Amino acid sequence: MRRLGAGLAALAMAAGMAGAPCAARGATFGEDLEFLQKHVEVVVLSDKAGDARVAVVPALQGRVMTSTAGGAGGPSFGWINRELFASGKRLEHFNPFGGEDRFWLGPEGGQFSVYHVKGGPFDLEHWYVPPSLDTEPFDVLTKAQDGVVTQRQFEVTNYSGTKFQVKVDREVRLLAAADAWKRLGVAPVEGVRMVAYESANRITNAGREPWKKETGLLSVWILGMFAPSPRTTVVVPIRPGPESEFGKTVVDDYFGKVPAERLAVKDKTVYFRADGACRSKIGFGPKRATGILGSYDAAGKVLTLVQHTFPEGQSDYVNSQWKLQDNPYAGEVANSYNDGPASPGAKPAGPFYELESSSPAAALEPGKGLEHVHRTVHLLGTQEQLDGVARAALGVGIDEIVKVFGK
């Protein structure tokens, strides 16, 4: 057991929430926004035309709950746990509210975990998300039509007893379409609708002691939760090379081996089914990751691309494996999780799927910081319109993506 997925499924079932109605199938952005505003304050970012919109909730660590490329009546891309919001309850271990860009810290497991009780076993009973990353708000410093800046300072303690004074500065900003196309390195495609935004997440050592590898380091960990479909496929470009030099091509044994019919490695690309029907997860180390991953929903004709900070030459990434580790800095840069039943016959926590990225481990002197940027781009169009974008950004065309799993 390694990361979030196991905890989500089991804890949601324990709370009696599994299978509960979450983001409605086919919900519009306006419908999701109206629902959210009944429970929390929402900062809505938008372009001048009002087509590209992003819903940010400061009370949940400044997370992006959902977004759209089609105004109020456009499709809502984020997964929202409506049942949990409506219940007004707060769960002991973790509150899976959803959201397509949320701020967490790594590592989740190991002797430097900030989620497990000191000295206890690495199991769900002793796994807790710190309130500062779960239910406590970030303060709004500034907000504008295209951006909002939040901040929070708090303390977390790792499994080994090291205390960290952490200051987080988080800015969510909507990108103009021209800027987003440029950052993708793709020429604009006429007729394609787009929403693009990024979160810039800076953690600062607000204490008096340096953060050292011997006593544990933190990292920025950004997770995006999206509504799945039977025809959604995650696509991850990788750097090829022998495992003796580059490490595992794909880490695929978080909850047991991912079934062969759900994972395919072809040339320089890894494909992963994101249908919300089988709990599974994959990950990529720093010698395999390329700084981009994405997904294509063939039913909704939505291409989602995630770009993230990936500094060259960095090899230390926190290891979130749920056990005492021989190498606590042999972790992963990028991950994808597919929700599903935690056991045969059980109901899933969502369902949803995730696209995730992590910063390098932060060995920071007092007053020094590290920034990690996580960019999300959703594109709506025909298969023909999106094909060239997928080829340029992910290295494979839409036709290749949809054929991988026979859908």
Side-chain angles (χ1 to χ4, degrees), residues 29 50-53 68-75 77 193-195 380:
F29 179 84
D51 294 328
R53 301 187 188 185
T68 190
F77 296 124
R193 291 184 290 169
M194 167 194 285
V195 59
L380 278 169

Side-chain angles (χ1 to χ4, degrees), residues 47 104 119 137 159 179 253 364:
D47 61 7
W104 268 17
Y159 185 88
D179 189 17
D253 56 353
L364 300 176

Side-chain angles (χ1 to χ4, degrees), residues 233 263-264 266 271-272 399-407:
T233 302
L263 181 67
K266 298 187 177 183
Y271 302 89
F272 180 53
D399 55 341
E400 297 171 76
I401 298 171
V402 298
K403 290 178 182 176
V404 169
F405 298 116
K407 293 289 186 178

